Amino acid sequence: MNYDLHCHSTASDGLFAPGELVDAARLGGVDVLALTDHDELSGLAEARQACDAHGLRFINGVEISVTWEDETIHIVGLGIDPENPQLVAGLQQVRGSRLGRAQAIAARFDSIGISGTLQGALSLAANPAVISRAHFARHLVSAGHTRDADSAFKLYLGSGKPAYVPHHWSHLEHAVRWITGSGGVAVVAHPGRYRLSDQALRRFFGEFRDAGGRALEVVTGSHQPSQYATFARFARDFGFHGSRGSDFHGVGESRIGLGQLPPLPDS
Ligand code: AMP
Ligand code: MN
Ligand code: MN
Ligand code: MN
């Protein structure tokens, strides 16, 4: 069975509408798909309908932005209930801070002589409530300021760069509770991507487990292949399940297509 349990649609910062994403998943040979938009559930109904029409199994998902010890961490929720009032209210609160942050990012761009970035980013965001740095990056590329999205992050948008605005997202315990309280499984997204020492990562995994977290992404488009074994070992050490997901955002932007990753390690 080909599981892809992490991807994005135009409901957050993906390039495909949910129905188009399901078409791409079919072409990629996916049997079981979870849509995991950032802090947003509005794409789930369309994705489920398209999966039902084409015989794919669909799992309701979300990717929640969390701040833990000054580091932004992403927690995926799988099998959540999109009608759950605490989850819905919690995500609305997280999304609510995005526009103000985007204005602050644009002000930093203004101060280094790059104007019009807020309008540019918003014009590329199908859902302005989830305005993301990815939209700024795409605008910078289309306006000719950088060659590609990756250089937009390296030059301007990444942590510590001139247009980076530190932000406080949700608390780990809250995000995990919204997920588990709505019947879902909480999964650490791309654990190899955070700037945490081995020691801090272990402390984080312990707190995540204490909060009710149950799994780590082991095989993800955000890991180097050499990291699969590392995070399979972490999962075994902490008694976590392993997950697999491309983190697909769109053709030309994502290194790995839907359903194209290697399988999880046998264990
Ligand atoms: P935000 O949630 O607004 O902080 O935006 C984070 C999003 O930016 C991620 O979910 C990715 O879609 C995108 N992103 C982060 N780093 C990069 C990068 N180096 N290249 C392209 N996109 C990136
Ligand atoms: Mn994204
Ligand atoms: Mn993420
Ligand atoms: Mn993601």
Side-chain angles (χ1 to χ4, degrees):
M1 293 287 278
N2 188 335
Y3 287 78
D4 197 320
L5 302 181
H6 187 151
C7 64
H8 298 273
S9 76
T10 47
S12 66
D13 60 359
L15 291 168
F16 287 168
E20 297 170 335
L21 197 64
V22 171
D23 289 336
R26 288 168 62 209
L27 286 173
V30 173
D31 299 299
V32 183
L33 180 72
L35 174 63
T36 56
D37 275 310
H38 297 285
D39 311 319
E40 178 62 275
L41 307 171
S42 65
L44 296 175
E46 181 184 326
R48 173 174 295 282
Q49 205 167 28
C51 280
D52 286 351
H54 296 291
L56 274 75
R57 211 178 117 203
F58 183 70
I59 294 175
N60 288 319
V62 67
E63 181 175 21
I64 305 181
S65 314
V66 162
T67 302
W68 183 81
E69 295 190 355
D70 293 335
E71 178 72 357
T72 297
I73 305 254
H74 287 171
I75 304 294
V76 161
L78 297 176
I80 45 116
D81 170 8
E83 310 288 333
N84 180 273
Q86 284 78 30
L87 174 66
V88 168
L91 294 179
Q92 190 172 4
Q93 197 187 331
V94 181
R95 287 195 302 273
S97 63
R98 278 188 177 268
L99 187 57
R101 169 190 181 244
Q103 287 164 338
I105 291 173
R108 301 241 170 144
F109 275 117
D110 286 341
S111 75
I112 56 172
I114 301 178
S115 60
T117 56
L118 183 63
Q119 291 78 357
L122 280 172
S123 75
L124 300 174
N127 178 6
V130 193
I131 179 87
S132 143
R133 286 183 293 162
H135 299 113
F136 279 90
R138 287 171 197 152
H139 166 70
L140 292 178
V141 175
S142 74
H145 294 292
T146 61
R147 192 182 54 224
D148 52 29
D150 198 44
S151 11
F153 278 85
K154 287 205 172 91
L155 291 169
Y156 299 112
L157 292 161
S159 177
K161 302 301 178 191
Y164 182 74
V165 174
H167 193 66
H168 200 92
W169 300 105
S170 61
H171 292 288
L172 176 65
E173 293 75 14
H174 295 174
V176 172
R177 198 186 318 136
W178 298 333
I179 292 166
T180 57
S182 83
V185 174
V187 185
V188 181
H190 39 68
R193 221 171 76 181
Y194 307 120
R195 296 155 313 157
L196 297 174
S197 66
D198 227 51
Q199 195 186 13
L201 198 58
R202 286 181 181 278
R203 203 168 65 248
F204 170 72
F205 289 152
E207 285 189 27
F208 172 70
R209 188 175 55 188
D210 291 346
R214 299 243 325 262
L216 305 182
E217 286 185 345
V218 169
V219 174
T220 141
S222 298
H223 282 172
Q224 297 301 319
S226 63
Q227 292 177 299
Y228 302 158
T230 306
F231 288 96
R233 207 172 317 118
F234 273 119
R236 280 193 295 270
D237 284 357
F238 282 82
F240 290 136
H241 297 289
S243 188
R244 171 183 189 256
S246 57
D247 205 356
F248 181 77
H249 283 70
V251 173
E253 202 164 293
S254 298
R255 196 167 50 88
I256 300 278
L258 285 155
Q260 300 306 295
L261 285 165
L264 285 167
D266 281 343
S267 55

